[in-house]
Amino acid sequence: DSPLLRVEDLQVHFPGRRGSGGLVRAVDGVGLEIHHGETLGLVGESGCGKSTLGRAIVRAYRPTAGQLHYRRADGGEVDLAGLGERALRPYRQEIRMIFQDPFSSLNPRMTLRDIIGEPLKVNRVARGRALQERVAELLTTVGLRPEHMSRYPHAFSGGQRQRVAIARALALHPRLVIADEAVSALDVSVRAQILNLLARLQADLDLTTLFISHDLSVVRQLCDRVAVMYLGRVVEVAPTEELFARPRHPYTEALLSAVPATHPSRRGGRDRIVLEGDLPDPSDPPPGCPFHTRCPYAVPRCSTERPAAVEVAPGRTAACHFADELHLRGAGQAA
Ligand code: SF4
Ligand code: MG
């Protein structure tokens, strides 16, 4: 069946540095499908455009070009990329974002009732007694106690605050949740609890999640499929275990090689691939394959011809001229 969201040739450009006259191509032609009920991981180095893509999907940014084909609950389809604020309103309820930092994203002067209840109030979904009851229910859903609703964020730990942020995101029964580094600010033990919570909510609430993270081990634990971004483009998409076992894009191989194995004994001679050079300036992306300035396998063709994303196996795509020929190393079975 058709995906819940189909991103097509999406571009999000920002004005470059003052006087440069250039454009920062933060998202530079992304195609991606998010299926109903899945958790899709979105990985890549900082600056690769993954947060910008997430924010464009929730329409915090208006895309410069391209489409966001969203399947509505009634089965119809709408392109969110072109909608004005008024037409967007119902979809702003259905597509919600969870941010990284539970300290700065919660207003310290608001009680949990006000924080979690705000989307209900703003969208005139509930007020008074009904609002209280929904907030109590949401607190229970995320593993907090209803009697906490009259307290302020400072009374809670980082993990508890992230639960509050999740409760707030869930308030309007979203169909699609964009989690941007949602557990990255948390300690390892707390992180595991929040990951368990997200996995449970996923199953219980029939959620679809785009899970943006720079942490590959977390993505490997939580996600069904993974999309890898480099310099504003999606370079590879695959089911999680297939991606880790056998990457098909040289950038994915390099990214995986930088992850320490969970069990040191399994590290067994796999060397880290150190990429040469820095991430190129997104206001002046290299011609041809965006990865050619750092790719260990690059040949002259790579610097002139842009590789299209092609299906390299059922359900797998890679944007490399040699995706079918290269024998790349995976991250082994450790996790
Ligand atoms: Fe490397 Fe060329 Fe493939 Fe790009 S197209 S990833 S430069 S081999
Ligand atoms: Mg980011």
Side-chain angles (χ1 to χ4, degrees), residues 93 96-99 102 105-106 111-120 131-146 148-149 158-174 177 182 194 197-198 200-201 205 207:
Q93 300 188 28
R96 307 292 294 186
M97 190 134 186
I98 303 171
F99 295 100
S105 65
L106 303 180
T111 63
L112 298 201
R113 175 176 39 236
D114 293 339
I115 290 168
I116 298 168
E118 189 178 48
L120 298 166
L131 184 138
Q132 294 245 113
E133 278 167 15
R134 177 73 180 132
V135 170
E137 182 182 70
L138 286 160
L139 284 170
T140 308
T141 301
V142 299
L144 293 172
R145 298 224 299 274
H148 286 159
M149 76 169 74
Q160 289 171 319
R161 288 189 220 203
Q162 197 54 299
R163 289 174 194 267
V164 173
I166 293 168
R168 179 183 159 93
L170 296 176
L172 295 166
H173 301 286
V177 170
I194 298 295
L197 172 66
L198 290 172
R200 182 168 63 70
L201 294 174
L205 304 178
L207 280 181

Side-chain angles (χ1 to χ4, degrees), residues 170-243:
L170 296 176
L172 295 166
H173 301 286
R175 299 176 69 223
L176 175 59
V177 170
I178 315 292
D180 190 3
E181 302 287 359
V183 298
S184 303
L186 305 173
D187 295 340
V188 176
S189 63
V190 179
R191 183 180 304 169
Q193 293 168 18
I194 298 295
L195 286 174
N196 286 339
L197 172 66
L198 290 172
R200 182 168 63 70
L201 294 174
Q202 174 79 24
D204 292 355
L205 304 178
D206 194 27
L207 280 181
T208 304
T209 307
L210 180 66
F211 187 83
I212 302 171
S213 180
H214 70 280
D215 187 334
L216 290 167
S217 63
V218 163
V219 165
R220 190 173 189 177
Q221 269 181 65
L222 189 72
C223 299
D224 304 302
R225 294 193 306 140
V226 182
V228 181
M229 266 185 97
Y230 184 79
L231 213 62
R233 318 228 180 122
V234 169
V235 297
E236 179 162 10
V237 182
T240 304
E241 274 317 306
E242 291 180 32
L243 182 103

Side-chain angles (χ1 to χ4, degrees), residues 18 22 39 46 60 79 125 131 140 167 199 224 226 231 238 256 263 321:
R18 245 178 98 93
T39 298
S46 87
D79 176 10
V125 172
L131 184 138
T140 308
D224 304 302
V226 182
L231 213 62
L256 297 185
H263 306 286
H321 295 308

